Structure formats: structure tokens, C-alpha cells
Amino acid sequence: VRTVHTIPLQVVRQKIHLWKGAIQKEVVDSLEKKGAIWRYWGDNIPKMWEEIGDKDYVFIPGKGVFTIKPPFTFKARGVACGNHAADTEVDLYASGVEAITYRLCLALAVQYGWDILGTDVGTAFLYADLDLPYAVVVQAPQIFIQAGICKEGEPWLIKNAIYGLRESPRAWSDHRDHYLR
């Protein structure tokens, strides 16, 4: 069984040059290109506040999560530290398949000789709109700044669900259910 372990930040910092490509891919090709974040820095920061307007907002730190996947692929994920956000009145419940239902389906497939297929939606959360009554601003992870991919003091205005936000599983669940009907 191949397992994937999270790499401690101090290890990543020691060999930051090895992680630059993975960080670039996460920030630019995933988060930014899919419209999950809008990046601001320097003179553009007032534009972020214009975009937020009169809405309430939460400002929380971001964090880099790093793994090495077999055979030897560096992966970086920019996540929100959702545990730093105050409780909200937003419904967070996200449905899924119960384990008993899943096992029953597998048993029936075996009994009737059905083929079983699965899929993985890469960066799934990023496809789901984050339709909230307030704005979410995440401070770019410090390690992404140290890698030279993000700028010092760069905030991200969150537009789609991202990993780490308590609201993201519900947003993904709603998105998934809408498109798979």
C-alpha cells in the first residue's frame, strides 16, 4: 500500500527550491486559474476592498500543506486556516454516501458481476462557488512568499470553495449534487 505523508514545514523550508514548481502549480494553475482566489498586492489592495464593498468579511491566515506522492511527485496545497474564523450562521452540513449504502452497492456488484468504476475530481472544491453573505480573505501562506511565488502581505479574496474553510464541504456538496443530477 502506498501512503502519502505530510511533509513538515521546516523540511520544506530547508529545500524550498525543490517545492517551487509545486507551489507555482497550486497557486497559478489551480487556485488562480480556476477562479477560486483573486490575488492582490501593493497598489491593488484597495481594489480588493472595493470588491468586498459593504459586505462583512473574515480575514484568516493561509497555510501551505506539502506531500510527496509516489513515485516521487512534489505536491503543494494552499489552504485556509478555517479554525481561525469565528462561528457563523451559515449551514455547514454536507451530505455524502453512508458506509452501509456503499458496502451494499459493492456487495450487489459482486453478486451480479457488475463492473465497479471510480473517479477522482482533481482539486474538486475549487469548482464550487462560495456563495456566502460575507467575504472571505485569506493571507497568502508565508512559505509561498518565501518561495517567491506570492508577494509579502498578499491577501487572497476567496471566490470558490478552498480547502480548510468550514464552508467548503457544503459548497462542494451543493455543486456536485447540482451537476450530477
Side-chain angles (χ1 to χ4, degrees):
V1 175
R2 294 180 176 183
T3 58
V4 178
H5 298 285
T6 302
I7 309 300
L9 286 178
Q10 62 268 26
V11 173
V12 174
R13 278 191 190 96
Q14 291 171 355
K15 303 276 187 183
I16 194 78
H17 64 281
L18 296 174
W19 295 92
K20 276 183 135 177
I23 296 168
Q24 174 82 17
K25 185 175 178 184
E26 170 68 0
V27 173
V28 176
D29 296 343
S30 290
L31 294 171
E32 195 172 21
K33 225 176 238 179
K34 291 179 179 163
I37 65 170
W38 291 2
R39 299 170 65 192
Y40 296 90
W41 60 84
D43 293 341
N44 285 341
I45 290 178
K47 289 181 183 176
M48 179 186 73
W49 295 115
E50 286 176 25
E51 175 69 27
I52 292 172
D54 292 340
K55 284 174 94 175
D56 286 337
Y57 67 92
V58 295
F59 190 86
I60 56 178
K63 179 180 179 178
V65 177
F66 301 90
T67 58
I68 300 176
K69 293 193 173 183
F72 197 72
T73 306
F74 289 86
K75 297 283 183 176
R77 176 87 61 216
V79 304
C81 296
N83 57 316
H84 286 260
D87 288 337
T88 65
E89 298 296 318
V90 173
D91 184 11
L92 301 177
Y93 175 75
S95 65
V97 178
E98 292 180 351
I100 292 171
T101 304
Y102 185 70
R103 287 194 293 261
L104 177 63
C105 289
L106 289 176
L108 287 171
V110 169
Q111 182 178 352
Y112 291 105
W114 298 338
D115 291 330
I116 301 171
L117 302 171
T119 188
D120 179 31
V121 179
T123 58
F125 277 6
L126 305 185
Y127 291 99
D129 290 334
L130 196 61
D131 187 22
L132 298 171
Y134 50 89
V136 178
V137 179
V138 172
Q139 183 66 48
Q142 191 62 39
I143 191 109
F144 288 12
I145 295 165
Q146 291 168 352
I149 307 303
C150 295
K151 308 254 191 275
E152 188 68 45
E154 176 181 317
W156 298 342
L157 182 57
I158 307 302
K159 292 297 190 172
N160 291 358
I162 66 170
Y163 297 95
L165 288 179
R166 291 181 300 205
E167 299 88 350
S168 292
R170 172 63 186 259
W172 166 247
S173 176
D174 291 346
H175 177 83
R176 176 201 64 210
D177 292 352
H178 174 76
Y179 281 95
L180 291 180
R181 267 177 224 261

